Amino acid sequence: MSAERTTRRAYNKVYLPNGRVVTQCVVVTDADGQILDCYPLDGEQPFVEWIGGTMDLRT
């Protein structure tokens, strides 16, 4: 892959594949939409787009 371009989006609630639910969560994806990371949102962060709503990663 060429230069990594990541996107950070925050959601109210994220359902993880292991069944855990994380609230106020940032999901980091690469240019192809593959999930690279998921971590709790801790205050205002640069370059994070607030989406709101729910993301389900259990599929």
Side-chain angles (χ1 to χ4, degrees):
M1 185 183 302
S2 60
E4 277 294 317
R5 183 185 69 105
T6 59
T7 303
R8 290 169 173 76
R9 293 187 175 107
Y11 297 88
N12 288 327
K13 188 182 292 185
V14 176
Y15 292 93
L16 300 176
N18 65 6
R20 197 170 135 227
V21 180
V22 181
T23 57
Q24 304 295 310
C25 186
V26 176
V27 177
V28 182
T29 57
D30 66 13
D32 296 325
Q34 296 297 312
I35 296 171
L36 303 175
D37 196 9
C38 179
Y39 57 88
L41 179 66
D42 185 20
E44 191 73 23
Q45 296 180 12
F47 307 108
V48 174
E49 177 184 7
W50 179 257
I51 301 297
T54 301
M55 179 180 235
D56 192 343
L57 303 176
R58 295 177 290 183
T59 57

